[in-house]
Amino acid sequence: MPAFTYRGRNGAGEVVNGVLEGATAANVADLLFGSGVTPLEIKPAPAGALKKDGGGGLSLFSPQVLHVDILLFTRQLYTLMKAGVPIMRALAGLQESSANPAMKSVLGQLRESLDSGRELSVSMSRHPKIFSPFYLAMVRVGEMTGRLEEVLLRLFDHMEFERFMREQVKSALRYPSFVILAMFAAMFVINIWVIPTFAKVFAGFGAELPLITRALIGFSNFMVNWWHLLIGAIAVAGFAFKSWVGTPRGSYLWDKIKMRIPIAGKIVKKATLARFARSFALASRSGVPVIQALTTVAQTVDNDYIAAQVDKMRDSVERGESVLRAAIATHAFTPVVLQMIAVGEESGSLDEMMEEISAMYQSEVEYELKTLSQQIEPILIVALGAMVLVLALGIFLPLWDLGGVAMKK
């Protein structure tokens, strides 16, 4: 994601500057407004500027600030502030007790920034790789409303939910991934070492081989002679795909395609909608206006296609449309979600309905993930059986034919 340098004024009228990541300058402006900074100038940053600014761009081999570090920091800061500990003392204590050198450095920079008169949200915005736009917006709302402790607790619950979802997905995909890798490894070994041995034996017979056997030998010869080109082609294809996904258009299309993949697509869509609903509920309950809530939520759904639809919703709401009509126009939400939004708007409890949507989809995602192995297992068994059948027919058909000829003689 490109980086932009900015210059602006905070709530106290002081000039602040720094470097932030964003898809466009407009996204950076939204982020700055959400953190209480009025931008005066935004322009593309030179290469390496983000790292020089201390924005969390740590080197590959240095300690990294992990999701669990931010999770623990949020919970501990909430506990200390609830106990009446001043924020500077709280940050100092957290810095001393942190076991991660990278997190210790970030906490030190936050203290220095607060010492210079900046607000907490503005100080955190100097580390865009560590604190997400949604996190910054929520902290800013907590500062404006005087409910920072409550916001921190809600942020902790939200981040715990995000971590739970990721762990569930990793756990569900572990077994299928292992089986698929084992199948590819078996195909590699068979084509490089096993089939060439049988090919030498069949060549000694001097008989015409069945079509399936000739195809297997041909593919094996190709792998033996051109394996380096095959690996290179796979690497180039992987690099090209990664580069394409790294573009705004490619990321948008891939995120749209992901939700249509059999079996996995429905899980991705439900997880994304659960994240959207929970983020929107958290923003609404924290006192964020609907338009600003949609802006920040679009940056946290982790899906460019859904984010674009949320941006369209925000534009429609800005023009005076209701949230329901704006959601219907995007064609991205299920009838259940639309019905819950309608009830929430009519009753004035949209945040509660969004929380219900989040809980509903979370339970559905949990069930889908628990049964994912059972859904994929038949496909894997059929694929493995087809591979074994092709290999068996290709290798044993010539032997059966020669055996039949020998018996006739």
Side-chain angles (χ1 to χ4, degrees):
M1 189 176 291
F4 295 84
T5 60
Y6 69 86
R7 184 171 61 87
R9 293 188 182 276
N10 60 17
E14 300 170 335
V15 176
V16 295
N17 54 67
V19 183
L20 286 177
E21 284 187 320
T24 63
N27 292 131
V28 174
D30 288 339
L31 176 59
L32 291 172
F33 279 121
S35 62
V37 175
T38 301
L40 301 175
E41 181 183 25
I42 298 176
K43 59 184 179 179
L50 187 62
K51 185 174 180 180
K52 294 176 183 177
D53 187 64
L58 303 174
S59 66
L60 181 63
F61 300 104
S62 62
Q64 302 289 315
V65 177
L66 305 176
H67 182 271
V68 66
D69 294 320
I70 305 301
L71 187 68
L72 292 175
F73 161 75
T74 305
R75 179 69 187 192
Q76 291 169 347
L77 184 59
Y78 158 74
T79 303
L80 291 171
M81 293 186 67
K82 185 179 180 182
V85 179
I87 189 168
M88 291 300 294
R89 279 184 53 196
L91 291 175
L94 293 176
Q95 183 182 5
E96 292 176 4
S97 62
S98 177
N100 187 336
M103 190 64 192
K104 191 185 291 279
S105 174
V106 170
L107 291 174
Q109 293 176 43
L110 288 181
R111 292 177 59 199
E112 292 176 4
S113 184
L114 288 173
D115 270 335
S116 65
R118 296 187 179 96
E119 297 174 330
L120 181 61
S121 57
V122 176
S123 303
M124 288 179 170
S125 68
R126 297 170 65 86
H127 304 273
K129 288 184 177 295
I130 297 173
F131 300 103
S132 68
F134 186 75
Y135 195 105
L136 297 175
M138 291 298 99
V139 171
R140 175 59 181 169
V141 169
E143 291 174 332
M144 292 173 59
T145 60
R147 298 189 296 174
L148 183 57
E149 301 167 19
E150 181 182 346
V151 168
L152 288 172
L153 180 59
R154 290 177 179 174
L155 275 172
F156 170 79
D157 293 336
H158 179 74
M159 295 175 69
E160 184 68 24
F161 165 77
E162 294 281 316
R163 186 179 71 156
F164 173 78
M165 296 286 285
R166 281 195 293 268
E167 292 299 324
Q168 286 285 95
V169 171
K170 289 180 182 178
S171 176
L173 294 179
R174 191 172 295 124
Y175 167 72
S177 301
F178 175 78
V179 173
I180 293 172
L181 288 175
M183 289 175 59
F184 277 105
M187 289 180 61
F188 180 82
V189 171
I190 289 172
N191 280 284
I192 296 297
W193 286 289
V194 177
I195 292 180
T197 303
F198 278 96
K200 293 178 182 177
V201 175
F202 296 152
F205 294 157
E208 184 179 358
L209 299 175
L211 176 62
I212 190 171
T213 304
R214 296 199 305 270
L216 284 175
I217 293 175
F219 183 68
S220 175
N221 289 336
F222 173 78
M223 288 194 66
V224 170
N225 296 323
W226 305 100
W227 61 269
H228 52 289
L229 291 180
L230 188 61
I231 294 177
I234 294 173
V236 169
F239 177 77
F241 176 76
K242 186 176 181 181
S243 300
W244 176 69
V245 172
T247 63
R249 180 63 178 170
S251 179
Y252 174 89
L253 291 175
W254 173 238
D255 284 341
K256 185 177 181 179
I257 292 171
K258 279 193 299 187
M259 295 189 294
R260 298 179 179 179
I261 298 174
I263 300 178
K266 60 182 179 181
I267 299 177
V268 172
K269 185 170 185 177
K270 289 179 179 179
T272 304
L273 291 178
R275 189 178 295 114
F276 159 78
R278 190 176 184 88
S279 300
F280 190 88
L282 174 57
S284 297
R285 286 186 172 179
S286 301
V288 180
V290 173
I291 294 176
Q292 186 180 344
L294 290 172
T295 300
T296 55
V297 168
Q299 299 170 336
T300 62
V301 291
D302 199 25
N303 185 295
D304 284 354
Y305 173 72
I306 296 296
Q309 308 314 309
V310 175
D311 282 335
K312 291 180 182 178
M313 286 179 60
R314 178 200 60 198
D315 295 339
S316 297
V317 172
E318 281 183 328
R319 292 193 298 267
E321 296 280 355
S322 66
V323 177
L324 175 61
R325 295 178 68 87
I328 293 174
T330 63
H331 304 290
F333 301 99
T334 62
V336 175
V337 174
L338 296 177
Q339 185 177 359
M340 299 285 272
I341 292 176
V343 173
E345 280 198 307
E346 289 178 6
S347 61
S349 55
L350 185 57
D351 56 340
E352 294 181 10
M353 289 298 102
M354 284 293 184
E355 194 69 40
E356 291 291 333
I357 294 172
S358 173
M360 177 187 68
Y361 276 127
Q362 181 180 352
S363 62
E364 289 190 18
V365 169
E366 288 178 27
Y367 175 78
E368 294 284 355
L369 291 174
K370 287 178 182 178
T371 60
L372 180 61
S373 297
Q374 300 174 12
Q375 298 179 59
I376 295 179
E377 191 171 348
I379 300 175
L380 295 178
I381 292 174
V382 170
L384 185 60
M387 185 181 74
V388 172
L389 178 62
V390 170
L391 291 173
L393 291 176
I395 292 174
F396 291 112
L397 272 179
L399 299 178
W400 290 336
D401 291 344
L402 293 172
V405 172
M407 289 181 66
K408 290 179 181 178
K409 291 182 179 180

